[in-house]
């Protein structure tokens, strides 16, 4: 024990360990079975869960089998209808009871999480557990309000939820609280490295008197997860690696399951010369070294404006040298243990590769066991592995930039789009960056801010769907299913040679690309509606996507401008009403004009929201267009179906590549003439006629198509979902015919599916 004078001289921390006793006592309940139908099952084949800081075995948990999953899904299936039928108020009381019980066990949860995951107690105690509790309170509120706030919407039913090891309890709360509030029952599989806090939560479900089967927890590894994906569930919500996310996308294709994916990230942390550099250094500490860098949204690409790069790196290094690495249970530890030796090996490997590719490594301290000192990589290029691959360790790679434009280019030079952190005291610079960075969450002069009422989730290969707030609730609700007949597959098309078509056939029809009429690339056509239409193919899709990208200004123009254009389209359609009616019917032509008016009305009204989250912040949930969308328009009502899919998408700022009804494309091509005379900028709407299934495949596979709607037969829907796994675009597919004349033709889903939420955190009133 140092004397007071010595302590004052060294200003060092003394040990301040939290006792593990509370958790070790609880662990004596093991070995653990699953939690199914309100009770723990007998343990089956078990595996060890280990304390990564010491290597000590904490408990044995059961490796879930397909039968275990089936039993859990069966229990959930049985419990769900009654749970859904409970008044929202009754569900709210259950969620509130869970929140209260969790709050009473906060210390146990925190210590257990530290033992199982290796994260510092400060983080588990001050961030993870209180946020998890907050999620249950927040969603108790949503359960209460659901009838008022989401009228007409219904839960999915049984949700399979798979979570990773980096925030075991918090991820559980993010998944279970909204699902339950919305009236779903769940089967959750925690990560194999960190199953314990989920088992403690299961015990609380029992203690809280939650109806049996509403929450089921099945432990196990990736095979157990795969069994859950394959099981009879109505929705899968997954957080984890992009690679597994892709596999889940493929496995669920065509199975009619709703899907949300929260995947990896390689988030930029951008520091401008005008930033408060000390605050930004602390930001890096929070963003990268927080939780040993095991945060999917960690700002692991540090982009610093050249003029301040040297002093910034110096301050950073000074701070790194003083970060405390060690016993995760010690309250003054900054960096704890990496979750597992496998993860540690991965970190070492990527750092070694980065150095081999020319990076300089600064890492005070030595790598020992599962402890990885903070690391800074400098002198690397944008192609270096440390700039491209998710590391999931306390490692940051730093590059410099000169101009804001270069910062944007570097920031967006990634397959991912989860989060970004922007540091500048200049509000114009900061907000301009927020607008341009492609990420689901942007923090200005801050980082890693989370709240139950703030939507969180990614774009591009970081996945789709949001968790938190209103957008998060929508992910656990749906509009009542469309009940029309299943669509039938389109007939196979035979290509007619372009110039050698039968004499006398009207050959005036063309594709519509970039505002101009084009022949199909191969020059072929196909017969439909008594005439010939161009047989579009992959090259035509490519050209159309390119043209749509060039029309990017459509996305940044005002909603008012877009509304005017849409109103003008409606006016011109009305002028050609008889032509349009001749291709459809009087009723359809009338309805189509009205539908354009309807979406014109929305063009300047799909507002974002300002969410109430934490003090001193504005949390803006902005609704951003996806960018370029692919649309497979329905067969039924070829004119109205085309208008009903194209108009909401463009009203909200997207540019589209649309494939009209294969057997009746004439009305859509007639609409292109209307668009031409209605001030629609070239490239905003592109129309490719031809074989629907093949064109859907091309759109699904195209990396520059950000979202896809498929109103087609089941086989085409399945194919599109499967093939979208490449860039993980969000796909909305529906294989039953809609009644486009009624409310089904314009329900809220079109609005919701035309945009994605970008959450921007701005300091306010601090
Ligand atoms: P992972 O994606 O394999 O595991 C996440 C969860 O998915 C676990 O519960 C796991 O059991 C389950 N799982 C694994 N294979 C599955 C399958 N085929 N079907 C269904 N579920 C399956 O992640 P892992 O292996 O733990 O970590 C690998 C890398 O993934 C990390 O180094 C990191 O880069 C990234 N990662 C990203 C996370 C994020 O929050 N975005 C979280 C965890 C890991």
């Amino acid at each position: 024990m140092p004397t007071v004078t010595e302590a004052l001289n060294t200003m060092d921390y003394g040990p301040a360990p939290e006792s593990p006793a509370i958790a070790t006592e609880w662990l004596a309940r093991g070995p653990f079975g699953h939690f199914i139908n309100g009770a723990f099952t007998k343990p089956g084949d078990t595996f060890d869960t280990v304390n990564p800081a010491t290597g000590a075995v904490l408990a044995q948990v059961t490796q879930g089998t397909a039968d275990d999953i089936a039993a859990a899904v069966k229990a959930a299936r049985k419990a769900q209808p009654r749970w859904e039928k409970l008044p929202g108020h009754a569900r709210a009381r259950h969620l509130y009871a869970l929140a209260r019980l969790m709050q009473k066990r906060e210390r146990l949860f925190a210590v257990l999480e530290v033992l199982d995951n290796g994260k510092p107690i400060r983080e588990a105690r001050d961030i993870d557990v209180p946020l998890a509790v907050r999620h249950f309170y927040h969603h108790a509120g949503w359960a209460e309000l659901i009838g008022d706030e989401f009228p007409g919407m219904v839960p999915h039913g049984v949700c399979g939820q798979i979570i990773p090891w980096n925030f075991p309890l918090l991820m559980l709360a993010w998944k279970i609280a909204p699902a339950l509030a919305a009236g779903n029952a769940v089967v959750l599989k925690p990560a194999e490295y960190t199953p314990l806090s989920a088992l403690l939560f299961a015990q609380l479900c029992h203690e809280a008197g939650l109806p049996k089967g509403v929450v089921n927890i099945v432990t196990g590894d990736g095979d157990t997860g795969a069994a859950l994906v394959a099981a009879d569930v109505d929705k899968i919500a997954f957080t984890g690696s992009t690679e597994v996310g892709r596999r889940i996308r493929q496995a669920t294709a065509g199975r009619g399951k709703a899907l949300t994916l929260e995947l990896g990230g390689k988030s930029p942390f951008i520091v401008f010369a005008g930033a408060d550099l000390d605050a930004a250094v602390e930001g890096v500490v929070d963003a990268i070294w927080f939780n040993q860098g095991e945060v999917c949204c960690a700002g692991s690409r540090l982009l610093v404006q050249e003029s301040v790069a040297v002093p910034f790196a110096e301050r950073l290094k000074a701070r790194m040298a003083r970060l405390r690495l060690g016993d995760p249970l010690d309250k003054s530890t900054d960096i704890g243990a990496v979750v597992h030796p496998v993860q540690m090996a991965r970190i070492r490997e990527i750092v070694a590769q980065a150095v081999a590719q020319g990076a300089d490594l600064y890492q005070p301290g030595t790598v020992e066991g599962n402890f990885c000192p903070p690391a800074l990589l400098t002198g690397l290029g944008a192609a270096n592995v440390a700039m491209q691959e998710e590391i999931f360790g306390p490692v940051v790679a730093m590059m410099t930039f000169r101009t804001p434009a270069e910062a944007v280019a570097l920031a967006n030079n990634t397959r991912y789009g989860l989060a970004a952190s922007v540091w500048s005291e200049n509000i114009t610079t900061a907000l301009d960056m927020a607008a341009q960075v492609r990420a689901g969450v942007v923090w200005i002069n801050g980082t890693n801010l989370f709240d139950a009422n703030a939507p969180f989730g990614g774009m591009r290969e970081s996945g789709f769907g949001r968790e938190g707030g209103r957008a998060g609730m929508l992910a656990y609700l749906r509009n009542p299913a469309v009940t029309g007949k299943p669509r039938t597959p389109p007939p196979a098309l035979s290509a007619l040679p372009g110039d050698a078509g039968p004499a006398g056939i009207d050959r005036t029809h063309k594709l519509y690309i970039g505002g101009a009429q084009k022949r199909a690339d191969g020059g072929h056509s196909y017969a439909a509606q008594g005439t010939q239409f161009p047989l579009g193919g992959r090259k035509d899709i490519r050209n159309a996507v390119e043209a749509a990208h060039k029309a990017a200004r459509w996305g940044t123009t005002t909603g008012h401008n877009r509304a005017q254009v849409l109103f003008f389209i409606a006016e011109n359609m009305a002028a050609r009403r008889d032509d349009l009616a001749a291709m459809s019917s009087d009723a359809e032509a009338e309805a189509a004009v009205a539908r354009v008016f309807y979406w014109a009305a929305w063009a300047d009204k799909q507002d974002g929201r300002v969410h109430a989250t934490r003090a001193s912040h504005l949390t803006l949930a902005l609704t951003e267009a996806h960018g370029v969308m692919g649309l497979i328009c329905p067969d039924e009502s070829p004119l109205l179906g085309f208008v009903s899919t194209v108009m909401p998408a463009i009203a909200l700022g997207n540019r589209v590549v649309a494939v009209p009804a294969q057997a009746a494309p004439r009305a859509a091509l007639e609409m292109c003439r209307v668009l031409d005379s209605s001030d629609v900028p070239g490239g905003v709407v592109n129309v490719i006629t031809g074989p629907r299934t093949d064109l859907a495949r091309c759109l699904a596979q195209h990396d520059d198509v950000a979202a896809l709607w498929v109103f087609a037969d089941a086989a085409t829907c399945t194919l599109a979902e499967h093939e979208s796994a490449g860039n993980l675009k969000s796909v909305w597919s529906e294989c039953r015919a809609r009644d486009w004349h009624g409310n089904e033709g314009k329900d809220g889903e079109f609005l919701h599916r035309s945009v994605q939420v970008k959450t921007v955190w701005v300091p306010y009133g601090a």
Side-chain angles (χ1 to χ4, degrees), residues 650-669:
I650 68 168
L652 299 186
N654 297 287
R655 289 88 69 199
V656 302
V657 177
V659 176
Q662 178 180 313
R666 188 195 284 229
L669 293 183

PDB file of all heavy atoms in Angstrom, residues 650-669:
ATOM      1  N   ILE A 650     -39.815   7.352 -56.721  1.00  0.00           N
ATOM      2  CA  ILE A 650     -39.190   8.588 -57.221  1.00  0.00           C
ATOM      3  C   ILE A 650     -39.673   9.804 -56.432  1.00  0.00           C
ATOM      4  O   ILE A 650     -38.938  10.767 -56.268  1.00  0.00           O
ATOM      5  CB  ILE A 650     -39.351   8.785 -58.747  1.00  0.00           C
ATOM      6  CG1 ILE A 650     -40.792   9.054 -59.147  1.00  0.00           C
ATOM      7  CG2 ILE A 650     -38.768   7.626 -59.518  1.00  0.00           C
ATOM      8  CD1 ILE A 650     -40.924   9.547 -60.595  1.00  0.00           C
ATOM      9  N   ALA A 651     -40.890   9.741 -55.911  1.00  0.00           N
ATOM     10  CA  ALA A 651     -41.376  10.888 -55.130  1.00  0.00           C
ATOM     11  C   ALA A 651     -40.433  11.161 -53.957  1.00  0.00           C
ATOM     12  O   ALA A 651     -40.203  12.307 -53.584  1.00  0.00           O
ATOM     13  CB  ALA A 651     -42.782  10.611 -54.601  1.00  0.00           C
ATOM     14  N   LEU A 652     -39.870  10.088 -53.406  1.00  0.00           N
ATOM     15  CA  LEU A 652     -39.018  10.260 -52.229  1.00  0.00           C
ATOM     16  C   LEU A 652     -37.537  10.358 -52.589  1.00  0.00           C
ATOM     17  O   LEU A 652     -36.682  10.292 -51.710  1.00  0.00           O
ATOM     18  CB  LEU A 652     -39.284   9.141 -51.238  1.00  0.00           C
ATOM     19  CG  LEU A 652     -40.743   9.137 -50.758  1.00  0.00           C
ATOM     20  CD1 LEU A 652     -40.958   8.117 -49.665  1.00  0.00           C
ATOM     21  CD2 LEU A 652     -41.190  10.499 -50.259  1.00  0.00           C
ATOM     22  N   GLY A 653     -37.240  10.510 -53.872  1.00  0.00           N
ATOM     23  CA  GLY A 653     -35.867  10.863 -54.250  1.00  0.00           C
ATOM     24  C   GLY A 653     -35.039   9.761 -54.851  1.00  0.00           C
ATOM     25  O   GLY A 653     -33.862   9.954 -55.134  1.00  0.00           O
ATOM     26  N   ASN A 654     -35.623   8.566 -55.040  1.00  0.00           N
ATOM     27  CA  ASN A 654     -34.853   7.500 -55.683  1.00  0.00           C
ATOM     28  C   ASN A 654     -34.897   7.661 -57.199  1.00  0.00           C
ATOM     29  O   ASN A 654     -35.789   8.307 -57.737  1.00  0.00           O
ATOM     30  CB  ASN A 654     -35.457   6.136 -55.340  1.00  0.00           C
ATOM     31  CG  ASN A 654     -35.385   5.855 -53.856  1.00  0.00           C
ATOM     32  OD1 ASN A 654     -34.315   5.578 -53.318  1.00  0.00           O
ATOM     33  ND2 ASN A 654     -36.523   5.969 -53.176  1.00  0.00           N
ATOM     34  N   ARG A 655     -33.934   7.047 -57.850  1.00  0.00           N
ATOM     35  CA  ARG A 655     -34.022   6.871 -59.297  1.00  0.00           C
ATOM     36  C   ARG A 655     -34.262   5.385 -59.519  1.00  0.00           C
ATOM     37  O   ARG A 655     -33.766   4.565 -58.716  1.00  0.00           O
ATOM     38  CB  ARG A 655     -32.716   7.277 -59.992  1.00  0.00           C
ATOM     39  CG  ARG A 655     -32.493   8.774 -59.970  1.00  0.00           C
ATOM     40  CD  ARG A 655     -31.768   9.217 -58.715  1.00  0.00           C
ATOM     41  NE  ARG A 655     -30.405   8.759 -58.718  1.00  0.00           N
ATOM     42  CZ  ARG A 655     -29.636   8.658 -57.657  1.00  0.00           C
ATOM     43  NH1 ARG A 655     -30.101   8.971 -56.458  1.00  0.00           N
ATOM     44  NH2 ARG A 655     -28.401   8.244 -57.756  1.00  0.00           N
ATOM     45  N   VAL A 656     -35.008   5.033 -60.543  1.00  0.00           N
ATOM     46  CA  VAL A 656     -35.394   3.628 -60.653  1.00  0.00           C
ATOM     47  C   VAL A 656     -35.070   3.030 -62.010  1.00  0.00           C
ATOM     48  O   VAL A 656     -35.041   3.726 -63.028  1.00  0.00           O
ATOM     49  CB  VAL A 656     -36.907   3.442 -60.375  1.00  0.00           C
ATOM     50  CG1 VAL A 656     -37.279   3.958 -58.994  1.00  0.00           C
ATOM     51  CG2 VAL A 656     -37.764   4.125 -61.437  1.00  0.00           C
ATOM     52  N   VAL A 657     -34.821   1.727 -61.958  1.00  0.00           N
ATOM     53  CA  VAL A 657     -34.773   0.921 -63.174  1.00  0.00           C
ATOM     54  C   VAL A 657     -35.958  -0.027 -63.040  1.00  0.00           C
ATOM     55  O   VAL A 657     -35.974  -0.884 -62.164  1.00  0.00           O
ATOM     56  CB  VAL A 657     -33.459   0.133 -63.265  1.00  0.00           C
ATOM     57  CG1 VAL A 657     -33.469  -0.756 -64.509  1.00  0.00           C
ATOM     58  CG2 VAL A 657     -32.267   1.087 -63.282  1.00  0.00           C
ATOM     59  N   ALA A 658     -36.974   0.185 -63.871  1.00  0.00           N
ATOM     60  CA  ALA A 658     -38.217  -0.557 -63.709  1.00  0.00           C
ATOM     61  C   ALA A 658     -38.394  -1.561 -64.833  1.00  0.00           C
ATOM     62  O   ALA A 658     -38.105  -1.268 -66.001  1.00  0.00           O
ATOM     63  CB  ALA A 658     -39.399   0.409 -63.687  1.00  0.00           C
ATOM     64  N   VAL A 659     -38.847  -2.744 -64.458  1.00  0.00           N
ATOM     65  CA  VAL A 659     -39.185  -3.780 -65.435  1.00  0.00           C
ATOM     66  C   VAL A 659     -40.698  -3.902 -65.421  1.00  0.00           C
ATOM     67  O   VAL A 659     -41.276  -4.361 -64.444  1.00  0.00           O
ATOM     68  CB  VAL A 659     -38.533  -5.129 -65.051  1.00  0.00           C
ATOM     69  CG1 VAL A 659     -38.957  -6.223 -66.016  1.00  0.00           C
ATOM     70  CG2 VAL A 659     -37.015  -4.985 -65.005  1.00  0.00           C
ATOM     71  N   PRO A 660     -41.370  -3.470 -66.489  1.00  0.00           N
ATOM     72  CA  PRO A 660     -42.830  -3.519 -66.480  1.00  0.00           C
ATOM     73  C   PRO A 660     -43.352  -4.937 -66.709  1.00  0.00           C
ATOM     74  O   PRO A 660     -42.574  -5.844 -67.007  1.00  0.00           O
ATOM     75  CB  PRO A 660     -43.210  -2.603 -67.650  1.00  0.00           C
ATOM     76  CG  PRO A 660     -42.032  -2.600 -68.546  1.00  0.00           C
ATOM     77  CD  PRO A 660     -40.820  -2.902 -67.722  1.00  0.00           C
ATOM     78  N   ALA A 661     -44.651  -5.091 -66.572  1.00  0.00           N
ATOM     79  CA  ALA A 661     -45.284  -6.399 -66.778  1.00  0.00           C
ATOM     80  C   ALA A 661     -44.751  -7.028 -68.063  1.00  0.00           C
ATOM     81  O   ALA A 661     -44.829  -6.412 -69.124  1.00  0.00           O
ATOM     82  CB  ALA A 661     -46.792  -6.222 -66.855  1.00  0.00           C
ATOM     83  N   GLN A 662     -44.246  -8.258 -67.938  1.00  0.00           N
ATOM     84  CA  GLN A 662     -43.610  -8.873 -69.100  1.00  0.00           C
ATOM     85  C   GLN A 662     -44.580  -9.052 -70.270  1.00  0.00           C
ATOM     86  O   GLN A 662     -44.241  -8.776 -71.421  1.00  0.00           O
ATOM     87  CB  GLN A 662     -43.039 -10.239 -68.685  1.00  0.00           C
ATOM     88  CG  GLN A 662     -42.392 -10.987 -69.815  1.00  0.00           C
ATOM     89  CD  GLN A 662     -41.845 -12.332 -69.361  1.00  0.00           C
ATOM     90  OE1 GLN A 662     -41.181 -12.414 -68.330  1.00  0.00           O
ATOM     91  NE2 GLN A 662     -42.114 -13.366 -70.118  1.00  0.00           N
ATOM     92  N   ALA A 663     -45.799  -9.472 -69.932  1.00  0.00           N
ATOM     93  CA  ALA A 663     -46.743  -9.781 -71.003  1.00  0.00           C
ATOM     94  C   ALA A 663     -47.504  -8.546 -71.486  1.00  0.00           C
ATOM     95  O   ALA A 663     -48.202  -8.609 -72.485  1.00  0.00           O
ATOM     96  CB  ALA A 663     -47.720 -10.846 -70.526  1.00  0.00           C
ATOM     97  N   ALA A 664     -47.380  -7.438 -70.759  1.00  0.00           N
ATOM     98  CA  ALA A 664     -48.154  -6.249 -71.157  1.00  0.00           C
ATOM     99  C   ALA A 664     -47.377  -4.970 -70.841  1.00  0.00           C
ATOM    100  O   ALA A 664     -47.751  -4.179 -69.983  1.00  0.00           O
ATOM    101  CB  ALA A 664     -49.501  -6.250 -70.423  1.00  0.00           C
ATOM    102  N   PRO A 665     -46.249  -4.788 -71.541  1.00  0.00           N
ATOM    103  CA  PRO A 665     -45.382  -3.655 -71.205  1.00  0.00           C
ATOM    104  C   PRO A 665     -45.780  -2.343 -71.904  1.00  0.00           C
ATOM    105  O   PRO A 665     -45.182  -1.307 -71.656  1.00  0.00           O
ATOM    106  CB  PRO A 665     -44.009  -4.109 -71.699  1.00  0.00           C
ATOM    107  CG  PRO A 665     -44.305  -5.044 -72.827  1.00  0.00           C
ATOM    108  CD  PRO A 665     -45.647  -5.658 -72.561  1.00  0.00           C
ATOM    109  N   ARG A 666     -46.805  -2.426 -72.738  1.00  0.00           N
ATOM    110  CA  ARG A 666     -47.071  -1.272 -73.589  1.00  0.00           C
ATOM    111  C   ARG A 666     -47.426  -0.012 -72.790  1.00  0.00           C
ATOM    112  O   ARG A 666     -46.950   1.084 -73.089  1.00  0.00           O
ATOM    113  CB  ARG A 666     -48.206  -1.610 -74.547  1.00  0.00           C
ATOM    114  CG  ARG A 666     -48.425  -0.536 -75.590  1.00  0.00           C
ATOM    115  CD  ARG A 666     -49.749  -0.741 -76.248  1.00  0.00           C
ATOM    116  NE  ARG A 666     -49.677  -1.859 -77.192  1.00  0.00           N
ATOM    117  CZ  ARG A 666     -50.133  -1.783 -78.441  1.00  0.00           C
ATOM    118  NH1 ARG A 666     -50.646  -0.678 -78.871  1.00  0.00           N
ATOM    119  NH2 ARG A 666     -50.083  -2.813 -79.218  1.00  0.00           N
ATOM    120  N   ALA A 667     -48.249  -0.194 -71.748  1.00  0.00           N
ATOM    121  CA  ALA A 667     -48.690   0.975 -70.994  1.00  0.00           C
ATOM    122  C   ALA A 667     -47.504   1.665 -70.314  1.00  0.00           C
ATOM    123  O   ALA A 667     -47.437   2.904 -70.256  1.00  0.00           O
ATOM    124  CB  ALA A 667     -49.725   0.565 -69.944  1.00  0.00           C
ATOM    125  N   ALA A 668     -46.554   0.867 -69.841  1.00  0.00           N
ATOM    126  CA  ALA A 668     -45.390   1.465 -69.179  1.00  0.00           C
ATOM    127  C   ALA A 668     -44.575   2.272 -70.183  1.00  0.00           C
ATOM    128  O   ALA A 668     -44.073   3.368 -69.864  1.00  0.00           O
ATOM    129  CB  ALA A 668     -44.529   0.370 -68.552  1.00  0.00           C
ATOM    130  N   LEU A 669     -44.448   1.747 -71.404  1.00  0.00           N
ATOM    131  CA  LEU A 669     -43.681   2.489 -72.403  1.00  0.00           C
ATOM    132  C   LEU A 669     -44.423   3.756 -72.827  1.00  0.00           C
ATOM    133  O   LEU A 669     -43.807   4.788 -73.102  1.00  0.00           O
ATOM    134  CB  LEU A 669     -43.365   1.598 -73.601  1.00  0.00           C
ATOM    135  CG  LEU A 669     -42.390   0.448 -73.282  1.00  0.00           C
ATOM    136  CD1 LEU A 669     -42.067  -0.356 -74.535  1.00  0.00           C
ATOM    137  CD2 LEU A 669     -41.094   0.952 -72.661  1.00  0.00           C
TER     138      LEU A 669
END
